[in-house]
């Protein structure tokens, strides 16, 4: 673990609460979006500079080919950043499902099974009341950026 000068030590345990994961994913999406926009701006300028300053003596095919070599990597980087931003939604969904919805369903099934075993073998004429399903915890709205939540968590 490393220690930053302005914050607590990082550990994976910090992502045990839905609001922490939501804040982290939201903040990460914002950073990736800003970086993708930065690359898009550089790409746009590179394309404009190339078109305005096309070197003399190139055929149209060679000029197109060199232009592609200049701006192609920018396009690929921009697409990768946008794809990474979209993956943050998958991160949130997997976390919510894997850490809350599936365990809650398992807990409800185990409780139902336990209550079925504890039910008397001979019925009293009344049917057994099925247990209420356990709802997964509701994620509170993000209380701010991820690192603010981490700071609050460690100061408490």
């Amino acid at each position: 673990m490393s220690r930053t000068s302005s914050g607590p030590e990082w550990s994976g345990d910090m992502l045990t609460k839905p609001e922490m994961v939501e804040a982290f994913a939201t903040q990460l999406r914002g950073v990736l979006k800003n970086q993708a926009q930065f690359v898009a701006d550089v790409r746009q300028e590179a394309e404009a500079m190339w078109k305005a300053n096309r070197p003399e003596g190139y055929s149209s095919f060679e000029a197109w080919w060199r232009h592609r070599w200049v701006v192609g990597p920018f396009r690929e980087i921009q697409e990768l950043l946008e794809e990474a931003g979209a993956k943050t939604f998958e991160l949130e969904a997997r976390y919510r499902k894997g850490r809350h919805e599936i365990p809650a369903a398992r807990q409800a099934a185990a409780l139902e099974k336990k209550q079925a075993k504890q039910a008397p073998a001979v019925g009293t004429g009344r049917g057994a009341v099925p247990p209420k399903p356990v709802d997964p915890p509701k994620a509170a709205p993000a209380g701010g950026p991820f690192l603010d939540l981490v700071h609050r968590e460690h100061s408490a």
Side-chain angles (χ1 to χ4, degrees):
M1 287 197 233
S2 65
R3 180 170 257 286
T4 60
S5 61
S6 64
E9 289 187 24
W10 164 257
S11 73
D13 296 342
M14 293 179 177
L15 295 177
T16 57
K17 296 179 182 174
E19 61 270 7
M20 293 288 274
V21 173
E22 182 182 354
F24 173 73
T26 301
Q27 188 170 0
L28 182 59
R29 246 188 316 274
V31 169
L32 290 170
K33 183 178 179 181
N34 288 340
Q35 293 302 314
Q37 185 58 47
F38 173 73
V39 172
D41 292 344
V42 171
R43 176 183 170 197
Q44 185 179 16
E45 288 178 12
E47 288 175 351
M49 285 174 29
W50 181 264
K51 287 178 183 174
N53 299 313
R54 185 172 291 157
E56 303 235 354
Y58 285 163
S59 67
S60 60
F61 175 77
E62 190 175 8
W64 169 83
W65 182 256
R66 290 185 184 264
H67 174 263
R68 184 171 176 224
W69 271 92
V70 170
V71 298
F74 289 116
R75 179 182 39 79
E76 292 171 13
I77 292 168
Q78 181 183 354
E79 289 170 355
L80 288 171
L81 287 168
E82 290 168 353
E83 182 181 331
K87 291 261 185 204
T88 60
F89 291 106
E90 185 178 335
L91 167 83
E92 281 184 86
R94 280 186 179 180
Y95 172 82
R96 184 181 59 255
K97 186 175 183 181
R99 298 280 282 204
H100 296 286
E101 292 172 3
I102 292 174
R106 286 183 181 161
Q107 181 183 13
L111 181 62
E112 185 177 320
K113 187 176 181 180
K114 182 179 177 183
Q115 288 179 348
K117 283 183 180 180
Q118 291 176 349
V122 178
T124 58
R126 250 180 54 182
V129 177
K132 284 185 165 181
V134 178
D135 291 331
K138 301 284 189 227
F146 173 68
L147 292 177
D148 291 346
L149 289 172
V150 171
H151 288 289
R152 269 191 253 133
E153 184 93 7
H154 281 284
S155 66

